[in-house]
């Protein structure tokens, strides 16, 4: 089992930030283009506990189909998605939101396991952990641009 945790301060009100992340349509915007990410579930998607969402990504030109279920959804607090079908043996992703002075703190925590035993562990060491870091680095940068401090957003 592996874990990846990321924390980001977003200088906007919690309801604005949470609404952005609870809209599955925004996933394409915050996913690196090299993954060729596409939501297959017809939109708009009503995100709530029990919602199923189908996606497709491409790695090295190979399509990978992924289905997640929203296991928990508490407005302006957190939501949890788990993989039902996809590239991992296990994928559990918690998105948490906390109101802090001047904005919102967002915490992503992913617990995941690789398939294929020792081969999967080797693949994680060589490729997967670096790819996940790149994906979340990209997300961080996109979010920084999408949510500038309010005083900067007004002057744009």
């Amino acid at each position: 089992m592996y874990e990846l945790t990321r924390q980001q301060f977003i200088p906007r009100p919690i309801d604005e930030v949470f609404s952005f992340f609870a809209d599955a349509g925004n996933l394409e915007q915050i996913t690196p283009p090299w993954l060729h990410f596409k939501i297959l579930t017809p939109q708009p998607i009503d995100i709530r506990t029990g919602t199923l969402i189908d996606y497709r990504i491409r790695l090295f030109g190979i399509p990978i189909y992924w289905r997640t279920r929203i296991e928990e959804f508490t407005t302006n607090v957190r939501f949890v998605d788990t993989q039902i079908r996809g590239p991992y043996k296990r994928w559990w992703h918690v998105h948490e939101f906390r109101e802090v002075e001047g904005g919102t703190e967002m915490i992503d925590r992913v617990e995941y396991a690789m398939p294929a035993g020792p081969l999967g562990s080797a693949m994680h060491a060589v490729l997967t952990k670096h790819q996940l870091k790149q994906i979340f680095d990209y997300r961080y940068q996109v979010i920084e641009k999408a949510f500038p401090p309010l005083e900067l957003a007004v002057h744009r």
Side-chain angles (χ1 to χ4, degrees), residues 55-128:
Y55 318 90
R56 185 191 69 224
I57 60 173
R58 289 188 183 276
L59 279 178
F60 311 111
I62 301 166
I64 298 171
Y65 294 89
W66 198 330
R67 172 175 277 180
T68 59
R69 177 186 359 251
I70 304 299
E71 295 292 335
E72 180 185 331
F73 187 89
T74 306
T75 302
N76 290 347
V77 177
R78 70 189 244 149
F79 62 95
V80 179
D81 61 88
T82 59
Q83 174 188 282
I84 302 302
R85 180 185 71 224
Y88 295 92
K89 183 176 180 180
R90 180 181 194 282
W91 177 272
W92 184 75
H93 184 179
V94 178
H95 312 254
E96 291 185 302
F97 302 84
R98 294 187 187 129
E99 194 166 16
V100 295
E101 186 176 332
T104 303
E105 178 182 56
M106 182 186 68
I107 301 164
D108 277 306
R109 188 175 52 152
V110 180
E111 292 178 8
Y112 62 101
M114 299 294 293
L119 180 61
S121 295
M123 188 168 165
H124 180 264
V126 173
L127 183 68
T128 306

Side-chain angles (χ1 to χ4, degrees), residues 7-24:
Q7 197 168 334
Q8 185 168 7
F9 171 76
I10 302 169
R12 295 296 183 87
I14 196 166
D15 56 335
E16 180 183 347
V17 174
F18 187 88
S19 293
F20 178 85
F21 287 94
D23 180 348

